[in-house]
Each structure stands twice: as structure tokens, then as C-alpha cells.
Amino acid sequence: MRRVLFTLVLAATLLSGPLARAVQPDEMLSDPAMEARARAISKDLRCLVCQNQSIDDSDAPLARDLRLLLRERLVKGDTDAQAVAFLTDRYGDYVLLRPPVRPATYLLWFGPFALLVVGGGILLWRGRRGSAGAEALAPPLTAEEKAHLAMLMRDEDEGKGRP
Amino acid sequence: MRRLMFLIPLVLFLGLAGWFGVRLKQIDRGDTPDRLPSVMIDKPVPAFDLPPLVDGQPGVASAGLADGKVRLVNFWASWCAPCRSEHSILMRLAGQGVDIRGIDYKDKAADGQAILARDGNPYAAVARDESGRTAIDFGVYGVPETYVIDRQGRIRYRQVGPITPQDLQNRILPLINELSK
């Protein structure tokens, strides 16, 4: 019985996680389609107070104000892009959790791939030089060297018996 | 060439250490990573017209900010602890004749009035932004924030967080002097 209860409580806890949201019922729009648009937009907008949360997730008062403002803009007939532009006009690209692709952000967007290409290139280049250079770097021993080596090996063998 | 390869880590280290040194100096001068650039810089103040907080003083409106005088617009609140630490600096600035307009952000009127009555009122005029919408139009993240407004009513500088004596000496006062010329 206890086990069942425990399981039920655990399941309820786990399942209620996604339901616990910062968006309060009184903020929501009556039109479900428009509310869905507002939710989608606000998931990509940064809460400027907490900075690593979206305004959809944040309980900060400013995030709530921005959510309400966003909904107001949508009700007034703004397109998604216009509503977002209203905020970037005031807070800059920083409010966007997904930075726009433009020359100033090329490094951000394409930098990792450039590093991958450079790193991969270096590995390939080294690998090729390594296998090609193995013979080039170590030419076969001359007769003189072989004789010298044989002598050293013999010395080594003879030396084994010594204290 | 190959013999000098061992120097690569040293060179990388020196480069990194040099960069850290430069950043430490910049942070010393107040250029901290949390100092976010404002997109409002060089733009006219957003349109607003807010009611007064204190009896006998006018409110604050964008129309009055482009009359040929350099000003500070300071967003504050009675519930904001950093604003209290900034207060003495504002009082000193007001004493030196700097025109500061205050905007009491999302505050109860009685609380805002009480704190000005207790600690002193550095503002030439102070208004209430109960909804916080004017603050959003300015791009305010949180109180306190202070804006330097030039003679034409354009925003020229934004201070995020309380004004420190260093900010005052290194940035705000020189800018006010330059804009007032």
C-alpha cells in the first residue's frame, strides 16, 4: 500500500513539473490561438533580470510585464515579427535567446564549424604526413650500421652474466 | 622551425595573460561584463507623460526634456536597496546644480513620498511610473538606472545599477560637462 502511494506521489510530482509555469492564468488571452502564439514568442525572449531564462519561464516582475506587453501587442494586431521588433527596439538583440544571423554574429554561428574544419584539417594533414613520412624519416640501415647494431647486441648478451 | 614548437604554449599563455590583464584594467574602470549596451543611446527619449509623485512638484514628461538643458533621468523605487546607496550621490549632484528628474518605478505613492521626506529629495521633478511601461520604453532592466539626456532630449548614456563615485568621476560628470558646452 505504502509502495503504491509512494509511486503515485512520485509520478504526480514528476508529471506536475511541466505544469508549474510562470505564466499566470490571469495573464492568458481568451483566444487560444493567440495565446499559443504569445507562448511561442515568449519562449524565445530573454528575461532581462535573470538573463538565462526566457520570459515564459521567469517569475521576475519585469518578465510578467513583458509577457503582458507582448500579449497586448498581439491583440492590437501586431504580427509575431512586429511584436518582437517592439522589444528589440527597446532592449536590443540581447532580448532574443536565439541571436539573429548577421555579420556581427557570424563568428558566433559559424565559429564552431570553422574550428571543426581547421581542427579536422590539421589532424588529416598530420595523419597523412605521419604515414607518408614513416619510410622517408627512417631509411633502411646501411651495412655498416647493421654491423654496429649486431656488435652492440652481442655486447649486451655477453654483459648479462656480469654482476 | 620544429625546434621552436615548444614555445607555442608559452606564447599562448602570454597572450591569454595579456588579455586577462587588459580586461582587469577595463573592469577596474567600470567596464564590467554586466554592463550591457543600450540600443537607446543617441535616440530621443521615448514619449511619456507621467504624473507627479510629490505635491508641489510637476511630473516628468518627454516634452520637457528637450529644452536645451542637460539632465539626468533616474529610475528608482522605495523598495530598491541599491537606490538607497545611490541616494547620497544624487543629493550631492543636485547640490552642485545638476538637474535630476526622478521616476519612481512600480512603487506605492505613499512609500515613495515617505522615503523622499525622510532622506531628502534630490529631484527637480519626480514622477510615478506605476505600470512600469515608461521604464520598458527606456529599456530599463531594473532599478536603479540613470540616463544622461542631452540638450536636444536625446539619451547619451545609460548607467545600469547604482552610480558609484568612480562612474561619476570617470563617465557621468565629464559627459555632463562636455554636453553642457
Side-chain angles (χ1 to χ4, degrees):
Chain A
M1 186 56 210
R2 268 182 105 174
R3 226 177 176 169
V4 175
L5 205 65
F6 176 77
T7 313
L8 281 175
V9 169
L10 188 68
T13 314
L14 290 175
L15 289 174
S16 66
L19 295 175
R21 288 239 168 78
V23 183
Q24 301 298 309
D26 64 313
E27 296 173 23
M28 292 183 187
L29 298 173
S30 48
D31 175 359
M34 205 171 263
E35 174 64 21
R37 267 174 70 202
R39 294 298 302 273
I41 297 172
S42 60
K43 279 196 173 74
D44 278 341
L45 292 175
R46 185 191 304 275
C47 164
L48 300 144
V49 180
C50 1
Q51 305 201 347
N52 276 328
Q53 268 185 315
S54 72
I55 61 170
D56 192 56
D57 284 334
S58 173
D59 284 317
L62 182 62
R64 178 185 158 90
D65 287 353
L66 292 178
R67 284 195 299 267
L68 290 170
L69 186 62
L70 175 69
R71 283 165 173 77
E72 239 172 63
R73 303 297 313 178
L74 293 180
V75 169
K76 276 187 187 154
D78 271 14
T79 63
D80 292 8
Q82 280 168 337
V84 170
F86 183 85
L87 285 173
T88 51
D89 281 350
R90 284 154 183 76
Y91 289 103
D93 286 344
Y94 191 70
V95 283
L96 306 174
L97 283 172
R98 201 187 304 271
V101 181
R102 60 172 65 160
T105 58
Y106 281 172
L107 191 66
L108 179 72
W109 279 101
F110 306 119
F113 301 104
L115 274 180
L116 190 69
V117 168
V118 169
I122 288 176
L123 275 182
L124 266 178
W125 177 66
R126 280 187 57 128
R128 215 172 270 159
R129 208 187 51 159
S131 59
E135 293 107 48
L137 284 174
L141 297 178
T142 61
E144 196 183 335
E145 282 167 339
K146 276 182 183 156
H148 191 191
L149 184 64
M151 193 184 78
L152 286 172
M153 301 277 271
R154 204 166 51 237
D155 282 357
E156 182 90 333
D157 286 345
E158 278 170 9
K160 264 184 186 160
R162 290 186 202 154
Chain B
M1 179 59 207
R2 280 194 81 89
R3 278 191 308 159
L4 292 178
M5 292 273 266
F6 77 96
L7 283 176
I8 289 178
L10 183 67
V11 170
L12 286 178
F13 169 75
L14 289 177
L16 207 59
W19 172 240
F20 288 165
V22 167
R23 280 301 295 154
L24 277 176
K25 267 263 173 289
Q26 287 176 344
I27 288 169
D28 243 15
R29 286 201 309 263
D31 183 10
T32 50
D34 57 346
R35 185 179 295 276
L36 296 159
S38 168
V39 286
M40 299 300 289
I41 298 295
D42 293 336
K43 287 189 188 153
V45 289
F48 67 94
D49 190 357
L50 293 172
L53 172 73
V54 185
D55 291 335
Q57 270 192 336
V60 182
S62 46
L65 294 175
D67 61 353
K69 202 167 174 189
V70 179
R71 286 196 179 83
L72 298 183
V73 170
N74 175 245
F75 286 84
W76 64 284
S78 68
W79 45 263
C80 144
C83 301
R84 302 274 66 74
S85 78
E86 182 183 64
H87 185 263
S88 61
I89 287 184
L90 294 179
M91 290 300 282
R92 216 167 61 214
L93 270 174
Q96 290 167 11
V98 177
D99 184 311
I100 311 171
R101 302 291 155 120
I103 294 178
D104 190 10
Y105 173 73
K106 299 190 89 168
D107 206 355
K108 291 198 189 83
D111 292 350
Q113 288 158 359
I115 216 140
L116 289 184
R118 193 192 72 189
D119 295 346
N121 181 355
Y123 305 110
V126 55
R128 306 178 53 211
D129 183 12
E130 210 173 355
S131 68
R133 282 298 162 85
T134 300
I136 289 177
D137 284 341
F138 268 80
V140 168
Y141 284 51
V143 279
E145 270 188 35
T146 306
Y147 293 79
V148 177
I149 313 294
D150 71 9
R151 292 157 179 267
Q152 288 80 37
R154 282 174 310 205
I155 294 172
R156 298 301 289 269
Y157 173 80
R158 176 174 73 157
Q159 170 80 27
V160 176
I163 300 171
T164 64
Q166 290 95 309
D167 293 323
L168 196 63
Q169 285 310 319
N170 298 339
R171 291 163 182 268
I172 296 174
L173 283 178
L175 183 61
I176 292 178
N177 287 333
E178 192 200 314
L179 295 175
S180 302
K181 272 179 200 159

Short mmCIF file of all heavy atoms in Angstrom, two decimals, chain B residues 72 88-100 163 168 172-173 176:
data_model
loop_
_atom_site.label_atom_id
_atom_site.label_comp_id
_atom_site.label_asym_id
_atom_site.label_seq_id
_atom_site.Cartn_x
_atom_site.Cartn_y
_atom_site.Cartn_z
N LEU B 72 19.81 64.47 -15.91
CA LEU B 72 19.81 63.05 -15.60
C LEU B 72 18.35 62.61 -15.40
O LEU B 72 17.56 63.36 -14.82
CB LEU B 72 20.58 62.76 -14.32
CG LEU B 72 22.07 63.09 -14.29
CD1 LEU B 72 22.66 62.66 -12.95
CD2 LEU B 72 22.80 62.39 -15.42
N SER B 88 22.81 59.29 -1.71
CA SER B 88 23.70 60.37 -1.24
C SER B 88 24.42 61.01 -2.42
O SER B 88 24.66 62.22 -2.44
CB SER B 88 24.69 59.83 -0.21
OG SER B 88 25.49 58.84 -0.81
N ILE B 89 24.77 60.20 -3.43
CA ILE B 89 25.44 60.73 -4.62
C ILE B 89 24.50 61.66 -5.39
O ILE B 89 24.90 62.74 -5.85
CB ILE B 89 25.95 59.58 -5.50
CG1 ILE B 89 27.17 58.94 -4.82
CG2 ILE B 89 26.31 60.07 -6.89
CD1 ILE B 89 27.82 57.86 -5.61
N LEU B 90 23.23 61.25 -5.48
CA LEU B 90 22.25 62.09 -6.17
C LEU B 90 22.07 63.42 -5.43
O LEU B 90 21.95 64.48 -6.05
CB LEU B 90 20.90 61.35 -6.30
CG LEU B 90 20.89 60.12 -7.19
CD1 LEU B 90 19.51 59.48 -7.19
CD2 LEU B 90 21.32 60.46 -8.62
N MET B 91 22.02 63.34 -4.09
CA MET B 91 21.86 64.56 -3.30
C MET B 91 23.03 65.52 -3.56
O MET B 91 22.85 66.73 -3.70
CB MET B 91 21.80 64.23 -1.80
CG MET B 91 20.53 63.53 -1.36
SD MET B 91 19.01 64.46 -1.66
CE MET B 91 19.04 65.63 -0.31
N ARG B 92 24.25 64.95 -3.61
CA ARG B 92 25.43 65.78 -3.84
C ARG B 92 25.37 66.41 -5.23
O ARG B 92 25.67 67.59 -5.40
CB ARG B 92 26.69 64.93 -3.69
CG ARG B 92 27.82 65.70 -3.05
CD ARG B 92 28.93 64.77 -2.63
NE ARG B 92 29.51 64.07 -3.76
CZ ARG B 92 29.98 62.82 -3.67
NH1 ARG B 92 29.92 62.17 -2.54
NH2 ARG B 92 30.50 62.24 -4.73
N LEU B 93 24.98 65.60 -6.22
CA LEU B 93 24.87 66.11 -7.59
C LEU B 93 23.85 67.24 -7.66
O LEU B 93 24.11 68.29 -8.28
CB LEU B 93 24.42 64.98 -8.53
CG LEU B 93 25.50 64.15 -9.18
CD1 LEU B 93 24.88 63.00 -9.95
CD2 LEU B 93 26.35 65.00 -10.10
N ALA B 94 22.71 67.04 -7.00
CA ALA B 94 21.67 68.07 -7.01
C ALA B 94 22.21 69.35 -6.36
O ALA B 94 21.94 70.46 -6.83
CB ALA B 94 20.43 67.57 -6.28
N GLY B 95 23.00 69.16 -5.30
CA GLY B 95 23.61 70.31 -4.62
C GLY B 95 24.54 71.08 -5.53
O GLY B 95 24.71 72.31 -5.40
N GLN B 96 25.18 70.37 -6.47
CA GLN B 96 26.09 71.02 -7.43
C GLN B 96 25.32 71.65 -8.59
O GLN B 96 25.93 72.16 -9.52
CB GLN B 96 27.09 69.99 -7.99
CG GLN B 96 28.11 69.50 -6.98
CD GLN B 96 28.87 68.29 -7.47
OE1 GLN B 96 28.78 67.93 -8.64
NE2 GLN B 96 29.61 67.64 -6.59
N GLY B 97 24.01 71.53 -8.56
CA GLY B 97 23.20 72.19 -9.58
C GLY B 97 22.83 71.32 -10.77
O GLY B 97 22.32 71.82 -11.76
N VAL B 98 23.08 69.99 -10.66
CA VAL B 98 22.67 69.10 -11.75
C VAL B 98 21.16 68.85 -11.66
O VAL B 98 20.63 68.60 -10.58
CB VAL B 98 23.43 67.76 -11.68
CG1 VAL B 98 22.96 66.81 -12.77
CG2 VAL B 98 24.93 67.98 -11.79
N ASP B 99 20.49 68.97 -12.81
CA ASP B 99 19.04 68.80 -12.86
C ASP B 99 18.73 67.30 -12.99
O ASP B 99 19.03 66.68 -14.01
CB ASP B 99 18.50 69.57 -14.08
CG ASP B 99 16.98 69.52 -14.16
OD1 ASP B 99 16.42 68.42 -14.05
OD2 ASP B 99 16.36 70.59 -14.35
N ILE B 100 18.18 66.72 -11.95
CA ILE B 100 17.86 65.29 -11.97
C ILE B 100 16.35 65.12 -11.95
O ILE B 100 15.67 65.68 -11.10
CB ILE B 100 18.47 64.56 -10.76
CG1 ILE B 100 19.95 64.90 -10.59
CG2 ILE B 100 18.29 63.05 -10.89
CD1 ILE B 100 20.55 64.40 -9.29
N ILE B 163 24.89 54.52 -9.21
CA ILE B 163 26.04 55.33 -9.63
C ILE B 163 27.10 55.23 -8.54
O ILE B 163 26.82 55.51 -7.38
CB ILE B 163 25.63 56.80 -9.81
CG1 ILE B 163 24.53 56.92 -10.86
CG2 ILE B 163 26.83 57.65 -10.18
CD1 ILE B 163 23.93 58.31 -10.95
N LEU B 168 30.80 58.31 -11.52
CA LEU B 168 30.51 59.74 -11.51
C LEU B 168 31.72 60.52 -12.04
O LEU B 168 31.58 61.37 -12.93
CB LEU B 168 30.19 60.16 -10.07
CG LEU B 168 29.51 61.49 -9.90
CD1 LEU B 168 28.16 61.47 -10.56
CD2 LEU B 168 29.37 61.81 -8.41
N ILE B 172 30.11 60.09 -15.87
CA ILE B 172 28.91 60.94 -15.89
C ILE B 172 29.26 62.43 -15.85
O ILE B 172 28.80 63.19 -16.72
CB ILE B 172 27.98 60.53 -14.73
CG1 ILE B 172 27.51 59.09 -14.98
CG2 ILE B 172 26.80 61.48 -14.63
CD1 ILE B 172 26.69 58.50 -13.88
N LEU B 173 30.11 62.85 -14.89
CA LEU B 173 30.44 64.27 -14.82
C LEU B 173 31.15 64.77 -16.08
O LEU B 173 30.79 65.82 -16.61
CB LEU B 173 31.26 64.56 -13.55
CG LEU B 173 30.43 64.60 -12.26
CD1 LEU B 173 31.33 64.85 -11.05
CD2 LEU B 173 29.34 65.66 -12.33
N ILE B 176 28.49 65.19 -18.73
CA ILE B 176 27.62 66.35 -18.49
C ILE B 176 28.35 67.64 -18.88
O ILE B 176 27.79 68.51 -19.55
CB ILE B 176 27.17 66.40 -17.01
CG1 ILE B 176 26.23 65.23 -16.70
CG2 ILE B 176 26.48 67.72 -16.69
CD1 ILE B 176 25.78 65.15 -15.26
#
